[in-house]
Structure formats: C-alpha cells, structure tokens
Amino acid sequence: MRRNLVVVRAGDASLHPTWLPLSGQRSWDLVVNYFGDDPHRHHAPDVQRIDGKGPKWQGLHRLFTAHPQLLERYDYIWLPDDDLLVNPPDIDRLFALMRRHDLLLAQPALTPQSHWSWTITLRNPATTLRHTNFVEVMLPCFRADLLRRALPGFAPYATGSGFDWAWPAMAGCDEGRVAVLDTVTATHTRPFGGPNYAFFAGHGYGAEDEIGHVLATHGIAGTATRILSLRTRLGLHLRGDSPAGRAMLRAGYRLTIAEAYLRRAPYRWELHKRLRQSFATPDQPPERMPPNDGSRFTAALARGDLAGS
C-alpha cells in the first residue's frame, strides 16, 4: 500500500499527466480534483478523479472534508498547482526526503526558468535543503497530521496568500521541521494571476489583504523570509546567519543567476537584482510585504463577497 498522496486541483490544461512515470512504478497515489466541465478529461489507470469547483483552498477543504479517509490513509500529502513541470522521480524523492529529515512541511525548489515571486524558493545548487520560515502555497508537501491541523483554516480563502508563513509557524519552523528541498525541483510554467485575483480587484481587496488577515489570525508579525539553517552537498549543517552559511548560500545563488542567464529564463534580470539584494542585506529580504491588518478582507467576509468566488 502506498503511503504518499498527491492531490492536484486540475483544470483542462493541467500538466499532471507528465508527472506519471512511464513504468507505472511510483511511491504515491494521485487524486485529480478536477474543476473543469469535460466528463472525459483526466481519466487514467491508477488515478482517481474527484470533481469539485471553486478556488484551490476552498476546493481542497471540501475535498478532504468529504473524503476524510485521504487524511487517514496517507503519511505525506503533496498539494501542487497544476501548472508545474516535475520529473516523476523527483516526486518520489520529495516524499523520501520528508521522511529522512523528519519534516512536517516542505516544498521542491523552483528552477530559475520558472515564473517565481520569492527568491527563497529558487534552487540553490550548493545546498541539499534549506530550513526556512516560508513554504509557498503553490507546492506545499505536508505530513498528514499537520495537514489535519491546517485544514480548517483553508475554508475562507481563495488564494491562500499568507499560508506561506502561517503553516511553517504551525510546523515549528524554528526547530528545523520546514524546508525548501534543493535536490527536488519544479518549474512553474505560467505567470501569476488568474480569476481569483480579478475577482478580488473587482471587490476592492487583493491577495495582500488575505495575507494580512492570515497573519493577524495566526499572530505572525511581518513577512520577512528566513533561511534558518542549511545542509550543504558535502553534508555540513550550517546556520543560515553564520559567515560560513552565508558564504555557501551566496556561492550557490551565483550559480542560480548564471543558469538563469544561460537558459534565458523569464525574469532573469529581476532574479539577478533581487538575489544580489539578498546578499547585501540578508536580514531584510527584498520581498518583504508592506504591513496590512487584513481589515478589508475581514469586511469582505462579513459582506459575503467570497460566496461568488
């Protein structure tokens, strides 16, 4: 019996069929939570399709509430977006590393060819993993007990913006239970945005208001991203704020910048600038969000605006 599960909220153009190994051998089951309208799409051997409309996190809340056995049967559950390119062996490696390092929450690192928002998620070739206070909502992998704890909080939110900090806090990120895995990679193929963001704009609030509401709900002050510690390719475990740790991160990210230019990656100029800013001021990451108390999102919830999202 497989003890790992992948659940993808999938539209018609989902890339998840490319994740399946040709051999059929894998350590994980796949549930396709389809939100499209084609009754014939995304059916495949050894794959379960369960239909469900709506935004990702509200849809996943309904899925796991209606099928609680999914949280009971599996040890680890990965919740990726459907626009990721991932090599099938990397999914097996993701679950293996979760077990090996006793992680509660982790994500694959993003390749420099990706559309990305946060430099902390970009792959660092000098490290095998980085313990962080941030895991992006685009591709989190949970130990099942943490997912059970986090699940009630999914319901109000369309984008899940802010979960990136809330879940690591729940998982005890200061104790090394949260990581970005640099030996497992994914490529994000589409620009950020979509119908949820357009909906927000039409109702006078945005993802930043979700972030403010989530952080206030969880008692989290600020949105600075931190690399707390790291493991090098040679097996050394270094503090992220130590001179040796910073030197290792800097060396690895120089390779990331070089790869971005070599492969003519989208946003390569922005990647270069923001990584260099991170080198210069590691205690003040350039992606820090402006303060937001979430009051506009609170008001939208009170008005019932999310009912139509």
Side-chain angles (χ1 to χ4, degrees):
M1 178 180 172
R2 295 168 179 152
R3 301 297 302 176
N4 307 312
L5 175 66
V6 176
V7 178
V8 57
R9 291 278 297 165
D12 289 343
S14 176
L15 298 179
H16 74 268
T18 66
W19 307 344
L20 297 167
L22 295 177
S23 67
Q25 298 298 311
R26 50 187 164 93
S27 64
W28 43 278
D29 288 328
L30 176 61
V31 169
V32 178
N33 192 205
Y34 178 57
F35 54 82
D37 298 310
D38 186 343
H40 306 292
R41 194 176 293 271
H42 299 326
H43 291 285
D46 202 18
V47 172
Q48 184 179 10
R49 178 179 133 169
I50 303 175
D51 293 356
K53 298 288 188 179
K56 178 176 179 177
W57 300 107
Q58 295 172 5
L60 288 172
H61 182 269
R62 288 192 293 270
L63 173 73
F64 286 114
T65 301
H67 302 274
Q69 72 277 7
L70 296 176
L71 291 173
E72 299 164 0
R73 184 184 304 166
Y74 298 97
D75 299 327
Y76 295 93
I77 301 172
W78 188 37
L79 304 176
D81 284 359
D82 71 349
D83 59 349
L84 298 171
L85 281 176
V86 188
N87 291 323
D90 271 3
I91 302 177
D92 293 297
R93 191 176 300 117
L94 166 65
F95 290 120
L97 290 171
M98 293 286 293
R99 283 184 170 81
R100 182 183 309 165
H101 296 287
D102 193 24
L103 298 172
L104 294 177
L105 179 69
Q107 69 162 83
L110 294 179
T111 67
Q113 299 90 275
S114 297
H115 296 274
W116 55 274
S117 292
W118 304 89
T119 54
I120 198 170
T121 65
L122 291 166
R123 183 174 71 94
N124 189 305
T127 59
T128 59
L129 64 80
R130 288 165 287 130
H131 292 112
T132 64
N133 71 336
F134 183 95
V135 163
E136 194 163 15
V137 293
M138 180 167 58
L139 63 175
C141 186
F142 291 82
R143 203 171 74 178
D145 55 337
L146 178 63
L147 183 54
R148 282 192 290 269
R149 288 169 52 202
L151 183 63
F154 289 11
Y157 303 104
T159 68
S161 300
F163 290 163
D164 323 68
W165 293 273
W167 295 334
M170 292 176 66
C173 56
D174 292 336
E175 301 171 5
R177 311 299 300 277
V178 178
V180 175
L181 304 173
D182 291 303
T183 54
V184 181
T185 60
T187 298
H188 185 216
T189 64
R190 300 175 199 153
F192 291 91
N196 291 331
Y197 292 85
F199 176 86
F200 284 157
H203 288 77
Y205 55 95
E208 68 276 8
D209 298 297
E210 272 201 4
I211 292 174
H213 189 270
V214 170
L215 297 187
T217 299
H218 289 267
I220 298 171
T223 57
T225 58
R226 301 278 183 238
I227 298 173
L228 305 171
S229 64
L230 55 104
R231 292 186 182 273
T232 72
R233 298 281 174 157
L234 298 177
L236 298 175
H237 189 195
L238 304 173
R239 286 179 55 91
D241 60 357
S242 68
R246 288 180 177 175
M248 186 63 64
L249 291 168
R250 187 176 296 114
Y253 279 130
R254 286 189 175 122
L255 295 175
T256 302
I257 292 169
E259 182 182 351
Y261 282 110
L262 180 65
R263 297 183 180 274
R264 301 185 64 81
Y267 314 121
R268 57 190 177 275
W269 305 104
E270 182 69 12
L271 180 151
H272 188 168
K273 180 181 75 173
R274 281 166 55 181
L275 281 176
R276 290 297 296 268
Q277 288 174 338
S278 295
F279 299 161
T281 56
D283 295 326
Q284 295 186 355
E287 297 96 356
R288 187 195 301 260
M289 298 288 292
N292 186 309
D293 63 5
S295 57
R296 290 193 300 179
F297 190 80
T298 301
L301 286 174
R303 292 193 304 267
D305 281 1
L306 284 180
S309 62

